[in-house]
Amino acid sequence: MGFWIVLAIGWIAGVILFRKIVLRERGESYRGTEKVSVIIPARNEAGNLPQLLGSLQKQTYPPYEIIVVDDFSEDGTYDIAADYGAKVFRNEALPPGWTGKTWAVWNGYRQSTGEVIAFLDADIRLAPRALESLLQARAEAGGVISAVPFHVTEKFYERLALIPNVLGVFAFTSPFEQNSPHKGLYGSCIVTTRRDYEAIQGHDSIRSELLDDLNLGAKFRAAGLRVTNFLGGGLVSFRMYPNGIRSELEGFGKGAVLSTAKLRPATTLLVAAWLIGLIASEGALFLWNTSWAYPLLFGYLLYAAQLYFLVRYVGKFGVFMPLLHVLSTLFFLVVLLYSAYQVAFRGSVTWKGRDVQVGSRGDR
C-alpha cells in the first residue's frame, strides 16, 4: 500500500508542477516599431553560430543589429560571425569579480543601441516568426520575458538529458514560482527593454553570480518589474551538447545543486516527491522476483506515459527514452553527485574551459 501512495503522490506532483505556458505564434504580425539589439556571447561557438545567425536573417521582424561578443574563442567564431554580417567585438580581459558570461553580455550591451534587447545563447535556433512572437509576448506581459527552448537531440548520449530537462521545466512552470521574489529567467533567451535593463543595472548588478539568469530575474522582481517565462515550443529551440557527454555533464553539473536554493519550498517538495516516485517505480527492474514488482511496474509505465506527454513541450528525445527513463534517471543522479562534488569539495565548477568559483568569487 505504501508503494502505491508514493507512486501516486509523485505522479500527481508532476501534474501540479507542469503548466503549458507555450510561446505562441500570433495570427497577426507584430505591429511594434522598436529597434531590437540581439546580443550573443560566444566562446568557441563556430559550430553553432551559422544556425543561429542564419535563422536571424530569416526573421519576419528583422533585428536592428546583431552583436556577437567573441569571448576569447580558439576557433573560427569571430570570422563566422563577421561573414554573417554581425557586429563582432572581441571581449576585453576579464576583470576581478566578474564571471565570463556576465562580462561578455555586459560588454555586448555597452555596444548596443536598440530600444529592446534580446540576449541569445549561440546554440539557439529561431523559427522565422520567433522574434516577433517574443516581442509580442513581452509587450503583453510587460517587464522581462525568457523562453525555455525546445531541446533537440540527435545522439543517444544527448537523450540522457530527458530527466534533467523535465526537472528544469518543472522549476520554470511551477505555479508556486510565479510570484516568487527569487523568480529566475532562462538565460538562453531573454528579452527586455533597454530602460528596464538599465533600471536594474543589468548584468553589472550580478557580475559575480554563477547562476546569472536566475539572479537577473530576482533583480527585475526587486525593481517591481514582472518576470514571465515561456516554453519555446516550435519557435525557440536549441541543441545543447553536440560535442560529447563530457560537455553535457559539465553543463548540467554547473547549476544542478546551486539552482535548488532559488526555489520555493513548495516547488522543492513537489519536485522531490516526483523524483522519489520516479526512482521508486524504477525499482521494478531490480525487484522482479518480489511481490512489489507488479505495482512498481505499473508505476514505471505510468511515469513513462507522463514523460511521453511532457516531451511534446520539453524536447525531442526519441521514441524510446521516455520508456527507458531509468537510464536518464541514472544520468541525472551522476550529474547531481558531480555538481555536489564541485560545489562542496572543489569550490568551483568547470564550464567551457574555465573554472568558475562558487560563492560569487568570479573566474580563475
Side-chain angles (χ1 to χ4, degrees):
M1 185 64 179
F3 275 118
W4 287 108
I5 294 174
V6 169
L7 294 172
I9 291 175
W11 194 87
I12 292 170
V15 174
I16 295 171
L17 286 166
F18 181 73
R19 292 291 182 269
K20 290 194 297 182
I21 314 171
V22 182
L23 185 67
R24 296 186 296 111
E25 182 177 316
R26 279 24 181 217
E28 297 182 357
S29 297
Y30 179 59
R31 297 180 180 179
T33 59
E34 58 265 44
K35 296 177 180 178
V36 180
S37 297
V38 174
I39 297 173
I40 306 166
R43 179 173 171 84
N44 296 328
E45 296 290 1
N48 282 318
L49 278 176
Q51 287 78 22
L52 172 56
L53 296 176
S55 70
L56 283 168
Q57 291 178 344
K58 299 174 183 176
Q59 292 303 298
T60 53
Y61 191 104
Y64 172 68
E65 60 186 357
I66 301 171
I67 297 171
V68 175
V69 183
D70 181 9
D71 189 17
F72 298 95
S73 298
E74 298 170 343
D75 59 7
T77 291
Y78 187 98
D79 293 334
I80 288 173
D83 288 344
Y84 275 85
K87 298 179 181 178
V88 194
F89 299 93
R90 297 194 190 277
N91 203 15
E92 300 175 16
L94 186 66
W98 287 80
T99 65
K101 183 179 179 180
T102 56
W103 180 237
V105 170
W106 179 247
N107 283 324
Y109 150 74
R110 291 165 63 188
Q111 300 291 341
S112 68
T113 58
E115 302 149 281
V116 172
I117 303 173
F119 298 105
L120 301 179
D121 280 359
D123 55 6
I124 289 289
R125 312 287 181 267
L126 300 177
R129 295 192 65 183
L131 188 55
E132 69 168 304
S133 298
L134 287 164
L135 292 171
Q136 183 69 50
R138 199 223 62 81
E140 292 174 358
V144 60
I145 70 167
S146 73
V148 182
F150 186 83
H151 188 180
V152 178
T153 66
E154 296 183 9
K155 299 178 181 179
F156 174 77
Y157 76 84
E158 295 176 77
R159 293 170 181 163
L160 293 173
L162 171 62
I163 298 303
N165 272 162
V166 167
L167 293 173
V169 167
F170 281 164
F172 280 95
T173 64
S174 169
F176 303 102
E177 300 303 316
Q178 301 313 305
N179 297 313
S180 170
H182 302 293
K183 185 176 181 180
L185 292 160
Y186 199 90
S188 294
C189 179
I190 296 174
V191 179
T192 180
T193 64
R194 175 176 293 274
R195 181 180 62 183
D196 289 347
Y197 183 73
E198 291 176 349
I200 66 161
Q201 298 180 320
H203 284 76
D204 186 28
S205 66
I206 55 161
R207 61 175 66 184
S208 60
E209 297 291 349
L210 175 63
L211 303 177
D212 55 292
D213 46 1
L214 299 183
N215 288 285
L216 189 68
K219 290 292 183 180
F220 276 99
R221 291 283 293 149
L225 297 166
R226 189 174 181 185
V227 174
T228 308
N229 296 309
F230 296 90
L231 299 175
L235 293 170
V236 182
S237 63
F238 59 11
R239 184 182 176 198
M240 295 182 75
Y241 303 113
N243 297 320
I245 194 169
R246 179 176 178 178
S247 65
E248 186 174 29
L249 179 62
E250 289 180 351
F252 284 112
K254 64 186 172 71
V257 170
L258 295 174
S259 60
T260 58
K262 302 293 181 180
L263 300 176
R264 282 191 160 174
T267 299
T268 302
L269 287 172
L270 287 173
V271 168
W274 188 82
L275 265 176
I276 290 170
L278 176 72
I279 294 171
S281 76
E282 292 163 351
L285 303 178
F286 307 99
L287 300 171
W288 190 248
N289 294 321
T290 72
S291 59
W292 296 336
Y294 289 108
L296 293 179
L297 181 60
F298 177 79
Y300 186 98
L301 295 175
L302 197 62
Y303 267 94
Q306 189 176 58
L307 288 168
Y308 273 113
F309 169 78
L310 291 172
V311 295
R312 295 164 56 192
Y313 306 97
V314 176
K316 177 185 174 184
F317 291 93
V319 175
F320 297 109
M321 188 52 69
L323 185 61
L324 302 175
H325 55 77
V326 61
L327 299 177
S328 184
T329 300
L330 290 171
F331 174 73
F332 168 72
L333 294 176
V334 170
V335 167
L336 205 59
L337 289 172
Y338 176 67
S339 182
Y341 161 73
Q342 290 192 106
V343 171
F345 295 99
R346 293 186 64 231
S348 66
V349 300
T350 302
W351 180 234
K352 292 196 173 183
R354 282 183 171 134
D355 277 348
V356 184
Q357 294 288 324
V358 176
S360 304
R361 293 191 295 267
D363 288 3
R364 74 179 180 192

